[in-house]
Amino acid sequence: MSDKLQAPNTPPSGPTGGEAGRAPAAPLDRRFCAAPMMDWSDRHCRVFWRQLTKRAVFYTEMVTTGALLHGDVRRHLDYSEEEHPLALQVGGNEPDALATAAKLAEQWQYREINLNCGCPSDRVQNGFFGACLMTRPGMVADGVKAMKDATALPVTVKHRIGVDDQEGYGPLRDFVGAVADAGSDAVIVHARKAWLKGLSPKENREIPPLNYPMVYRLKNDFPELEVIINGGIEDVRAGLNHLSHVDGIMLGRSAYHTPWVLADVDQQIYGGASPVTDRLDAIRGLYDYIEKELTAGTRLHHITRHTLGLFNGLGGAKQFRRHLSQHAHRDDAGIETLENALSFIEAARERAAQRRAETESLGQLSA
């Protein structure tokens, strides 16, 4: 192992990273997961999401094994303690490199390491990882086994139901059988095929038809394997329909574009209390984090860009988004900028309350 990989053996303690030597965490409850999404589910996004759900399992953006072997490990792996339960997603295909990534994930106190076998982008294909690995189940199995041998963390695989000209259930069954035999603790299955040529990553998230029954069949055939379903699930209520067939659900784009759906997770999935009942509180709960990040040199925009969909469909939402889009990137943008943006939501609420009062008053007069 290189000196660069030996350096972060003791992750930072306190609010960032984990505290070395703490007691093992409780097993992950993956009944609800938020998907890894490149350029979206960064550490700021995850802290914001954590205002809305304390129980959901979050996944990092994919980090390549090359970035961990040769790049700035701290930059790629750092996180805030409040993001837990948190899993690290990696991309790669070499067993030794994946084993090193697994060791780092454990050192940095992640709760799971997940191997990406579902991304269809050209860049990922050129490195021969992501969705193209579904054509090499033996290679994936070797990687899973190497990670299992290297860490006590759960090792999971995220993949599609197939790629390109693979037809029927057989190739999917064989792939999952290989990774299960290698020791994978769970599979997260995007219920669409990936077309490696001819469709963009965005099109691959939308055009190939969903096939949920194929994922359900996996659970029947591999009852001891935890199966999480992903793809096309718009909200928690829709996701509940899947839980009679599989072990968990994963939301992606809907969690990002309409984040308030996450406020239902703790109550509807886990049977507990929701951590927040007012969207304004979800923003104001970030203020301590924002102040710390601003002091460290983070621009307000890097945090608030993830909140723009919080008030979708409500009065003042357009003005809220416009104000942050125009002002949050500025050097002097801070909490006051956010409060000014929230003032549009509060003003819209006051106008709506006034209209309701006037309507009720008219109704009483007419009675």
Side-chain angles (χ1 to χ4, degrees), residues 213-231:
M214 190 177 283
V215 185
Y216 301 161
R217 188 173 175 185
L218 281 177
K219 183 59 187 177
N220 289 332
D221 288 352
F222 300 92
E224 302 303 317
L225 181 66
E226 192 170 338
V227 176
I228 314 300
I229 196 166
N230 172 232

Side-chain angles (χ1 to χ4, degrees), residues 206-217:
E206 299 170 350
I207 293 177
L210 288 160
N211 189 334
Y212 295 137
M214 190 177 283
V215 185
Y216 301 161
R217 188 173 175 185

Side-chain angles (χ1 to χ4, degrees), residues 206-287:
E206 299 170 350
I207 293 177
L210 288 160
N211 189 334
Y212 295 137
M214 190 177 283
V215 185
Y216 301 161
R217 188 173 175 185
L218 281 177
K219 183 59 187 177
N220 289 332
D221 288 352
F222 300 92
E224 302 303 317
L225 181 66
E226 192 170 338
V227 176
I228 314 300
I229 196 166
N230 172 232
I233 304 172
E234 294 297 324
D235 55 34
V236 175
R237 190 174 300 279
L240 289 171
N241 298 326
H242 295 289
L243 289 180
S244 59
H245 303 282
V246 293
D247 300 294
I249 59 175
M250 175 178 275
L251 264 66
R253 286 168 292 160
S254 62
Y256 191 86
H257 292 306
T258 55
W260 188 244
V261 301
L262 296 176
D264 292 331
V265 168
D266 290 7
Q267 183 178 55
Q268 293 192 28
I269 299 292
Y270 295 102
S274 298
V276 65
T277 57
D278 190 314
R279 300 179 203 220
L280 295 174
D281 293 338
I283 296 292
R284 289 176 173 142
L286 286 170
Y287 283 2

Side-chain angles (χ1 to χ4, degrees), residues 26-99:
L28 283 178
D29 187 339
R30 302 184 190 85
R31 278 179 286 173
F32 187 95
C33 306
M37 293 176 283
M38 291 299 294
D39 300 322
W40 289 2
S41 60
D42 65 17
R43 61 189 182 91
H44 305 309
C45 176
R46 298 189 302 263
V47 171
F48 165 54
W49 281 349
R50 199 52 83 194
Q51 309 307 306
L52 304 170
T53 169
K54 302 301 182 185
R55 301 287 301 276
V57 178
F58 294 164
Y59 287 74
T60 69
E61 302 169 274
M62 182 185 66
V63 181
T64 66
T65 54
L68 295 178
L69 285 165
H70 309 295
D72 184 339
V73 173
R74 183 177 297 273
R75 181 173 70 84
H76 290 301
L77 296 187
D78 208 5
Y79 62 88
S80 297
E81 187 68 18
E82 63 202 274
E83 295 173 47
H84 275 304
L86 180 64
L88 173 68
Q89 187 184 68
V90 295
N93 60 31
E94 297 178 358
D96 288 347
L98 289 170

